[in-house]
Amino acid sequence: MNSSPETLSAEAPAADVVLSARGLARRFSTGSALRSAKVSAVDGISLDLHAGEILGIVGESGCGKSTLARMLVGLERPDDGTLSYRGTDVSRGRARDRKRLREGVQMIFQDPYASLDPRMTVLDIVTEPIAAARAMNRADRRARAVELLELVGLGEDMLTRFPHQFSGGQRQRIGIARALALDPDVLVCDEPVSALDVSVQAQVINLLGDIRRRLGVSIVFIAHDLSVVRHVADRVAVMYLGRIAELGDTDVLYDTPSHPYTQALLSATPTATREGRGRLAQRRILAGEPPSPVDPPSGCRFNPRCWMATDECRAVVPPLRPFDAPGIPLRDVSCHHAEEAVGLPVG
């Protein structure tokens, strides 16, 4: 069941929306041919990416973040729902429209060791997208590669080297340069710093912020480190088992989380909020593991681990709805009891 509304509370005018997902769903077959089952990796995601913003996506491992990322760049086609790039449906559109998506929305992968071909030089890696998509002679491609390397803080002398001659941080910079080769206006970053040392993480994060300021690109930043996401993102979407639990401005979610799952995530990361755990009255510790996506629970998927779950939660899927109240800034939340979660009187 798709519980996401067609209109979200924080939505900007259509002209400001670069990438728009409505009810995106992706299912995979698992098991043998005789006993196959469907896994809903993403189940009814609706969100917008606005021009020039950084949208953070957080959640536990296996919640569907990477599958969503692959759909946003066109590497996976949704089973249900639509994906629109600059107002055009590209999820099942014409080849010309999907080509626009592939050029305008580029991905930065998690592992800088696995995402670069070890047999290619930096010159060939960075200019491969140009050679595939545009008519440009080798001299011009080299000049473009030099420009891109300078943009990410690397020098022309590195063009003839191979990936094994670089550190992890340098390899990720090369991957960023490759993603920028076709002048995209959206970068989808799938945990781009999780494989790097902490000191190098800050450098790559600062580089992405500088690229956003200089080029005006929009960024989808996927991570499991909530402190990192708070540092970089303008808005944050919290995912749980293929669905969005909460979506809103970064400071709003971190200072006044209204979904029990968001509260639990922040409670496990004491430094993620401006004042330790923000407005949380007590530490929230989740019991058990996330349910299997092969057999998700009925109603709210978080209900088996939620300390506020009721019969309504176990039977009815909560819609992603606008939520605000006196002293509680506007955001979208998928919870029947958001008012109680933030300590508001009910009834």
Side-chain angles (χ1 to χ4, degrees), residues 300-336:
C300 174
R301 292 189 170 182
F302 186 59
N303 83 77
R305 307 171 74 192
C306 183
W307 57 92
M308 299 182 65
T310 63
D311 290 342
E312 181 184 21
C313 302
R314 289 181 277 272
V316 181
V317 177
L320 186 66
R321 60 183 173 98
F323 171 67
D324 66 347
I328 307 295
L330 179 66
R331 88 290 305 277
D332 293 297
V333 63
S334 176
C335 179
H336 293 300

Side-chain angles (χ1 to χ4, degrees), residues 75-153:
L75 292 176
E76 296 278 357
R77 289 204 179 191
D79 294 305
D80 295 306
T82 61
L83 176 67
S84 298
Y85 172 60
R86 294 204 168 277
T88 301
D89 182 359
V90 294
S91 49
R92 295 174 184 83
R94 296 172 296 181
R96 180 178 62 185
D97 295 329
R98 294 188 61 79
K99 181 176 184 292
R100 287 183 59 222
L101 175 72
R102 289 194 297 269
E103 293 186 10
V105 182
Q106 291 287 314
M107 193 163 186
I108 298 171
F109 296 91
Q110 176 179 359
D111 188 351
Y113 295 89
S115 61
L116 304 180
D117 191 328
R119 296 165 295 182
M120 296 175 67
T121 65
V122 171
L123 173 62
D124 291 333
I125 290 171
V126 172
T127 60
E128 185 179 25
I130 301 174
R134 297 177 183 172
M136 183 181 292
N137 62 48
R138 187 165 181 83
D140 289 340
R141 291 203 301 269
R142 180 185 176 89
R144 176 61 174 158
V146 172
E147 177 185 346
L148 291 167
L149 289 185
E150 290 177 349
L151 182 62
V152 300

